[in-house]
Amino acid sequence: MPLSEARLLASLSDDRLARRAQHGDAKAFEALVARHASALLRFVQSTYPERSGCDDIVQETFIAAWKALPSFEFRSQFRTWLYSLASRKTIDALRKRRANTDLDTIPETPDVRPGPGQQVLHGEFLAALRSQLARLPYTARAAWWLREVHDLPLAEIATILHTSEGSVRGHLQRTRNHLAKALEEFRP
């Protein structure tokens, strides 16, 4: 792609790119993928317990987005719709993982503690935070990550998780209370 075309695509809003992609402009869709892939991967990594499956979930999300884009009606922002697809793909992967696993042979909560190198880089607090978040139900964990890390508004989180803003508020309040108690030893 010529540099001028790349600059033009990079300057367009998500909605403009999505409209162009709806009409078959693959380069516009590639620009959307480039714009959202890393944030989407971080979201999936924060809500799915196996790092090895996260790339696949993101890839499946973008494939589903490309296929469903012709019917996207712009009732929400493209980013909201994309996160919603990623959330559904993550839930599907969790269900599939659960169905393919003998539940008596695995611990109830996945071990998502970082390795020794990551513990040095991120410290004990982040390891404890991740461990506590891994113990939460998917919706509470996803709501916390979308609000606290990705700084999305409550309405957008509710749309992504297919729930109400009140439910999101409740999940956030319970998660924050849980984390405050569980991580109390780290308070200054």
Side-chain angles (χ1 to χ4, degrees):
M1 166 176 6
L3 187 57
S4 60
E5 184 180 3
R7 282 187 187 146
L8 170 67
L9 291 174
S11 71
L12 296 177
S13 70
D14 283 354
D15 284 351
R16 296 280 313 264
L17 289 170
R19 288 188 193 285
R20 288 178 70 158
Q22 274 185 324
H23 297 297
D25 186 343
K27 291 191 186 306
F29 189 74
E30 287 174 19
L32 287 167
V33 170
R35 186 176 290 174
H36 293 285
S38 61
L40 205 60
L41 179 60
R42 284 191 308 275
F43 169 65
V44 172
Q45 287 174 336
S46 65
T47 57
Y48 189 72
E50 285 184 31
R51 291 265 191 238
S52 62
C54 294
D55 288 329
D56 292 338
I57 292 170
V58 171
Q59 184 176 3
E60 289 174 19
T61 299
F62 282 118
I63 290 169
W66 176 252
K67 289 179 179 177
L69 197 54
S71 62
F72 180 53
E73 297 178 354
F74 296 90
R75 291 186 196 153
S76 64
Q77 295 177 28
F78 177 81
R79 176 183 71 174
T80 304
W81 181 67
L82 192 60
Y83 274 82
S84 180
L85 289 173
S87 178
R88 281 184 270 173
K89 292 294 181 185
T90 303
I91 290 169
D92 289 347
L94 288 168
R95 286 182 183 141
K96 187 176 185 180
R97 181 174 180 258
R98 195 172 301 137
N100 292 337
T101 306
D102 180 8
L103 294 178
D104 295 329
T105 64
I106 60 169
E108 277 195 34
T109 57
D111 183 7
V112 294
R113 292 177 292 177
Q118 289 177 322
Q119 284 180 351
V120 169
L121 292 174
H122 299 294
E124 291 179 15
F125 172 75
L126 289 179
L129 175 64
R130 286 187 185 279
S131 176
Q132 289 300 318
L133 287 169
R135 295 178 182 171
L136 297 173
Y138 172 80
T139 306
R141 186 171 60 242
W144 187 88
W145 278 98
L146 290 169
R147 181 67 183 152
E148 302 299 337
V149 176
H150 296 279
D151 199 29
L152 297 184
L154 295 178
E156 192 170 352
I157 296 168
T159 301
I160 289 167
L161 298 177
H162 302 284
T163 190
S164 67
E165 284 185 53
S167 179
V168 170
R169 275 190 213 92
H171 284 299
L172 289 171
Q173 181 179 8
R174 286 187 297 278
T175 299
R176 288 172 180 148
N177 289 339
H178 168 77
L179 292 174
K181 289 177 187 169
L183 302 172
E184 190 170 351
E185 68 183 87
F186 293 99
R187 282 193 176 185

